[in-house]
Amino acid sequence: MKKMKSWILGLGLLVSNVAFGQTIQDGLHFLDRHQPSRAKQVFESLVAAAPTGENYYYLGYYYLNLRDWDNAKAAFEKGKAADPKNYLNQVGLASILVGQNNVSAAKVEFDRIIKETKEKNPDVLHRIAEAYEMFYVLGKEDSFNANNNDPGEAIRLIDLIQEKTKKVPSAAQYIVKGDAYLIKNDGGNAVTAYEQALLQDPKNVKAKVKIGVVYLRGKNYKETQARYKEAIDLDSNYAPAHRRYGEYLIVGNQYKNAARYFRKYLEKAEATPEVTLETAKLLFLSKDYEGAMKFTDEADKKGVKDNDIYRMRGYANVEMGNYQQGIENLDGMVKKGVKPYFMDDLYFGKGYQGLGKDSIALQYLERAAPLDTNNNVYSIIHDIKYKQKKYADAAKAGIGSIDWKKKKSQTVGSGDYFKVAMDYYLTSAYMDRADTLGRPAMAMRADSMFAKAIEINDKWPPFYINRARANNFIDYTGTKWLGAPYYEKFLAAVEQQKAEKSTQYKEDKNQMFEALKFLGGYHLSVTKDEAKVKELFTKAQEIKPDDPDIKAYFNPAPAAPAAGAPKK
C-alpha cells in the first residue's frame, strides 16, 4: 500500500512539473524579446494548469502589451473573480484606461488600490508605476502620447517601494524608473536608473539597450554604439538590440548596414504579421526599398490588419521610381478613408514630381513642408521652383529649408546659403535695369547670403565670383567698382585650389576671363597702375585673344592727324 501511495505521489509531482515547467518569468522573457506567441503559450498554459489571480493577471498583461484591450479586460476580470484579494487584476483593469489615453480616470483607481494595500505591496506599486510609462512611445507625435503617461508618479512609486519595504528595487523596477526619466527627457537620471538595474542584474541586456537609447537621444554616438554592441555580445538573440542598433546606423547614414541589422531583428523576433510589417517599415527607413516591398507583401499574406500596407507600397514604389504605381497605392488608401498622415502628402508630391507634374507635386509638398519633422521638404520645393525659374519663390523655400535645419539642430552648410544667394542674384538679374531701387536691394540680399556661405567655406571660388556679380548689380551706375575685391578673392581662391591639387573644382576659363578683364578695367580707371593693367589684360587676352576691348588697349587706334595750316 505504501508503494502504491508513493507511486501516486510521484505521478502527481511529475504532472505538476510538466504543468509548471514554464514560469511567469519565462513568459515575460519571451514578451520582452518580441516573441508574443511563445509568451502567450506560456501564460495560457499557466492559467490552464492553475487559474489563479496572479496567472490571469499575467495573461492580461500579455494582451495589455499588445494593446488588445478586450482580451486584456476579459483576463483581468477572470483573475479578479478567481482571487478578489489579489489587487494585480484591479491594477490591470485601470492600466487599460491609461493605454486608452485616460490617465486621469486610471489615477483615481490606482490611488484607491494603493490606499487599500497600505502602500506596502511591491508588486502592486511596481505594476502601477509601469502602467504610467509603458504606453508612451518615444518619437510619436504629441497627440499620441497626450494622456497616456505620468512619469513623475511612476518615479515616486518606484521610490516608495524602497521606502516601504526597505529593500532595493529589482532590475525590472529600476528599468521602469529609467523609462519614466526618459519620458521626462532627463537622460542623466535615466542612465543612473538603468545602471542601477545592471547592479542588480549584470546580465540584464534590456538595461544595456535602454542606456544606448538615452545616448542616441543625446547624440553621443560613440557611447550609443558601445552599449548596443555590449548588448548584442551579451545576448545575440535579444531581438530589440538588433533593431536599436539598426536605428543607430540609420542616424549615421549607414543604410546598407542598418538593413542587415533589421533583417537580423526579424530573424530573432517572432515573424508575426505585425512584426513583419514593422520590419518592412524599418527597411524602408534604411533605404532598402525592395526589402520593404518584400516584407510588406509577406505581412499582407499573413493577414496583417494595418492601413500602413497601402503606405508602404505607395512610399516604396515612389522611391523605386515606380511613380504611377506608387500614386495608385496612395490613392487606394485615400479611397479607403484611411486617416491622412503628413508623409502621405510628401510621397504624393514626390510621385507627381517623378511623373513631371511639378505643379501638382507642389500642392502636396507645400502642405507637407510645415508638418514634416523627418524630411526637409522645403529643399525639394526649392529645387522645383528653381527649375521653373521662379527664383524669388525658390529663395523663400531655401530660407524655409535653412530654418528647418536649424530647428532640427542640423548643420547648415555653405551650400545652403549659396543656393539662396543664387536665387536672390538671379531674381535681381531678371529685374528691369531701370529699377534702381528694387534691383540693387535684391542684389544686396544675395550679397548677404554669399557672405554667409563664405564665412563657412572661404576656399570655394564660385562663391566669390557670384558675389562680385551681385555687387555689380548693387553698383547700378557702374562707377563704384564694388565687384573688384571679390574678383580678386576669386582669382586667389582659384590659385589655392590649383596649389592644393583639388579634384572638386574645375576651372572655368570664361569666369577667369571675366575676373581678369574687370580687374584690368578697375586698375585702368581707378588706380592708374599701368603695370597691373598690362599684367591682367595680358592674361585675359591669352584666354580670349579676339576680345575687342583688350585688343583696343594693346593696339590703340592712331590719333587723327592735326589739321594742316591753310595754304596761302
PDB file of all heavy atoms in Angstrom, residues 452-464:
ATOM      1  N   LYS A 452      27.530  84.741 -45.968  1.00  0.00           N
ATOM      2  CA  LYS A 452      27.336  83.642 -45.008  1.00  0.00           C
ATOM      3  C   LYS A 452      27.951  82.346 -45.521  1.00  0.00           C
ATOM      4  O   LYS A 452      28.517  81.563 -44.745  1.00  0.00           O
ATOM      5  CB  LYS A 452      25.845  83.456 -44.720  1.00  0.00           C
ATOM      6  CG  LYS A 452      25.255  84.581 -43.889  1.00  0.00           C
ATOM      7  CD  LYS A 452      23.796  84.333 -43.550  1.00  0.00           C
ATOM      8  CE  LYS A 452      23.253  85.453 -42.657  1.00  0.00           C
ATOM      9  NZ  LYS A 452      21.843  85.227 -42.275  1.00  0.00           N
ATOM     10  N   ALA A 453      27.835  82.124 -46.839  1.00  0.00           N
ATOM     11  CA  ALA A 453      28.445  80.930 -47.427  1.00  0.00           C
ATOM     12  C   ALA A 453      29.962  80.983 -47.281  1.00  0.00           C
ATOM     13  O   ALA A 453      30.608  79.986 -46.913  1.00  0.00           O
ATOM     14  CB  ALA A 453      28.050  80.811 -48.899  1.00  0.00           C
ATOM     15  N   ILE A 454      30.537  82.168 -47.542  1.00  0.00           N
ATOM     16  CA  ILE A 454      31.992  82.343 -47.458  1.00  0.00           C
ATOM     17  C   ILE A 454      32.477  82.216 -46.013  1.00  0.00           C
ATOM     18  O   ILE A 454      33.565  81.700 -45.749  1.00  0.00           O
ATOM     19  CB  ILE A 454      32.395  83.701 -48.065  1.00  0.00           C
ATOM     20  CG1 ILE A 454      32.177  83.665 -49.585  1.00  0.00           C
ATOM     21  CG2 ILE A 454      33.837  84.060 -47.728  1.00  0.00           C
ATOM     22  CD1 ILE A 454      32.231  85.018 -50.259  1.00  0.00           C
ATOM     23  N   GLU A 455      31.646  82.648 -45.082  1.00  0.00           N
ATOM     24  CA  GLU A 455      32.005  82.542 -43.667  1.00  0.00           C
ATOM     25  C   GLU A 455      32.228  81.080 -43.264  1.00  0.00           C
ATOM     26  O   GLU A 455      33.070  80.769 -42.423  1.00  0.00           O
ATOM     27  CB  GLU A 455      30.881  83.146 -42.822  1.00  0.00           C
ATOM     28  CG  GLU A 455      31.230  83.317 -41.360  1.00  0.00           C
ATOM     29  CD  GLU A 455      30.109  84.000 -40.594  1.00  0.00           C
ATOM     30  OE1 GLU A 455      29.385  84.823 -41.191  1.00  0.00           O
ATOM     31  OE2 GLU A 455      29.960  83.697 -39.394  1.00  0.00           O
ATOM     32  N   ILE A 456      31.470  80.181 -43.894  1.00  0.00           N
ATOM     33  CA  ILE A 456      31.596  78.751 -43.599  1.00  0.00           C
ATOM     34  C   ILE A 456      32.722  78.116 -44.416  1.00  0.00           C
ATOM     35  O   ILE A 456      33.471  77.275 -43.921  1.00  0.00           O
ATOM     36  CB  ILE A 456      30.256  78.032 -43.878  1.00  0.00           C
ATOM     37  CG1 ILE A 456      29.173  78.559 -42.929  1.00  0.00           C
ATOM     38  CG2 ILE A 456      30.401  76.512 -43.715  1.00  0.00           C
ATOM     39  CD1 ILE A 456      27.771  78.107 -43.274  1.00  0.00           C
ATOM     40  N   ASN A 457      32.841  78.532 -45.674  1.00  0.00           N
ATOM     41  CA  ASN A 457      33.859  77.957 -46.566  1.00  0.00           C
ATOM     42  C   ASN A 457      34.463  79.077 -47.404  1.00  0.00           C
ATOM     43  O   ASN A 457      33.855  79.532 -48.373  1.00  0.00           O
ATOM     44  CB  ASN A 457      33.221  76.895 -47.474  1.00  0.00           C
ATOM     45  CG  ASN A 457      34.218  76.281 -48.442  1.00  0.00           C
ATOM     46  OD1 ASN A 457      35.405  76.600 -48.421  1.00  0.00           O
ATOM     47  ND2 ASN A 457      33.744  75.399 -49.315  1.00  0.00           N
ATOM     48  N   ASP A 458      35.647  79.515 -47.005  1.00  0.00           N
ATOM     49  CA  ASP A 458      36.278  80.655 -47.697  1.00  0.00           C
ATOM     50  C   ASP A 458      37.240  80.215 -48.790  1.00  0.00           C
ATOM     51  O   ASP A 458      38.042  81.019 -49.273  1.00  0.00           O
ATOM     52  CB  ASP A 458      36.999  81.556 -46.701  1.00  0.00           C
ATOM     53  CG  ASP A 458      38.121  80.840 -45.959  1.00  0.00           C
ATOM     54  OD1 ASP A 458      38.359  79.645 -46.237  1.00  0.00           O
ATOM     55  OD2 ASP A 458      38.768  81.480 -45.099  1.00  0.00           O
ATOM     56  N   LYS A 459      37.159  78.958 -49.206  1.00  0.00           N
ATOM     57  CA  LYS A 459      38.078  78.456 -50.227  1.00  0.00           C
ATOM     58  C   LYS A 459      37.406  78.184 -51.574  1.00  0.00           C
ATOM     59  O   LYS A 459      38.097  77.837 -52.530  1.00  0.00           O
ATOM     60  CB  LYS A 459      38.734  77.163 -49.744  1.00  0.00           C
ATOM     61  CG  LYS A 459      39.671  77.323 -48.562  1.00  0.00           C
ATOM     62  CD  LYS A 459      40.319  75.997 -48.213  1.00  0.00           C
ATOM     63  CE  LYS A 459      41.311  76.150 -47.066  1.00  0.00           C
ATOM     64  NZ  LYS A 459      41.966  74.849 -46.755  1.00  0.00           N
ATOM     65  N   TRP A 460      36.086  78.331 -51.654  1.00  0.00           N
ATOM     66  CA  TRP A 460      35.379  77.878 -52.854  1.00  0.00           C
ATOM     67  C   TRP A 460      35.204  79.037 -53.842  1.00  0.00           C
ATOM     68  O   TRP A 460      34.446  79.975 -53.590  1.00  0.00           O
ATOM     69  CB  TRP A 460      34.030  77.283 -52.466  1.00  0.00           C
ATOM     70  CG  TRP A 460      33.346  76.505 -53.546  1.00  0.00           C
ATOM     71  CD1 TRP A 460      32.118  76.752 -54.069  1.00  0.00           C
ATOM     72  CD2 TRP A 460      33.842  75.360 -54.235  1.00  0.00           C
ATOM     73  NE1 TRP A 460      31.806  75.831 -55.043  1.00  0.00           N
ATOM     74  CE2 TRP A 460      32.860  74.956 -55.176  1.00  0.00           C
ATOM     75  CE3 TRP A 460      35.042  74.636 -54.170  1.00  0.00           C
ATOM     76  CZ2 TRP A 460      33.025  73.868 -56.022  1.00  0.00           C
ATOM     77  CZ3 TRP A 460      35.204  73.548 -55.005  1.00  0.00           C
ATOM     78  CH2 TRP A 460      34.207  73.168 -55.918  1.00  0.00           C
ATOM     79  N   PRO A 461      35.891  79.004 -54.992  1.00  0.00           N
ATOM     80  CA  PRO A 461      35.890  80.131 -55.926  1.00  0.00           C
ATOM     81  C   PRO A 461      34.510  80.609 -56.401  1.00  0.00           C
ATOM     82  O   PRO A 461      34.301  81.834 -56.497  1.00  0.00           O
ATOM     83  CB  PRO A 461      36.733  79.594 -57.100  1.00  0.00           C
ATOM     84  CG  PRO A 461      37.637  78.579 -56.478  1.00  0.00           C
ATOM     85  CD  PRO A 461      36.816  77.936 -55.418  1.00  0.00           C
ATOM     86  N   PRO A 462      33.551  79.711 -56.696  1.00  0.00           N
ATOM     87  CA  PRO A 462      32.250  80.206 -57.191  1.00  0.00           C
ATOM     88  C   PRO A 462      31.548  81.170 -56.247  1.00  0.00           C
ATOM     89  O   PRO A 462      30.780  82.029 -56.696  1.00  0.00           O
ATOM     90  CB  PRO A 462      31.431  78.921 -57.376  1.00  0.00           C
ATOM     91  CG  PRO A 462      32.453  77.865 -57.646  1.00  0.00           C
ATOM     92  CD  PRO A 462      33.608  78.231 -56.780  1.00  0.00           C
ATOM     93  N   PHE A 463      31.807  81.053 -54.940  1.00  0.00           N
ATOM     94  CA  PHE A 463      31.177  81.979 -54.004  1.00  0.00           C
ATOM     95  C   PHE A 463      31.612  83.411 -54.307  1.00  0.00           C
ATOM     96  O   PHE A 463      30.811  84.346 -54.242  1.00  0.00           O
ATOM     97  CB  PHE A 463      31.549  81.630 -52.561  1.00  0.00           C
ATOM     98  CG  PHE A 463      31.023  80.305 -52.066  1.00  0.00           C
ATOM     99  CD1 PHE A 463      31.505  79.766 -50.879  1.00  0.00           C
ATOM    100  CD2 PHE A 463      30.060  79.598 -52.764  1.00  0.00           C
ATOM    101  CE1 PHE A 463      31.035  78.560 -50.394  1.00  0.00           C
ATOM    102  CE2 PHE A 463      29.583  78.376 -52.303  1.00  0.00           C
ATOM    103  CZ  PHE A 463      30.075  77.866 -51.119  1.00  0.00           C
ATOM    104  N   TYR A 464      32.879  83.584 -54.628  1.00  0.00           N
ATOM    105  CA  TYR A 464      33.439  84.925 -54.810  1.00  0.00           C
ATOM    106  C   TYR A 464      33.012  85.555 -56.131  1.00  0.00           C
ATOM    107  O   TYR A 464      32.653  86.741 -56.169  1.00  0.00           O
ATOM    108  CB  TYR A 464      34.962  84.881 -54.713  1.00  0.00           C
ATOM    109  CG  TYR A 464      35.457  84.537 -53.337  1.00  0.00           C
ATOM    110  CD1 TYR A 464      36.038  83.305 -53.067  1.00  0.00           C
ATOM    111  CD2 TYR A 464      35.332  85.452 -52.293  1.00  0.00           C
ATOM    112  CE1 TYR A 464      36.490  82.981 -51.791  1.00  0.00           C
ATOM    113  CE2 TYR A 464      35.790  85.138 -51.015  1.00  0.00           C
ATOM    114  CZ  TYR A 464      36.363  83.901 -50.771  1.00  0.00           C
ATOM    115  OH  TYR A 464      36.796  83.589 -49.509  1.00  0.00           O
TER     116      TYR A 464
END
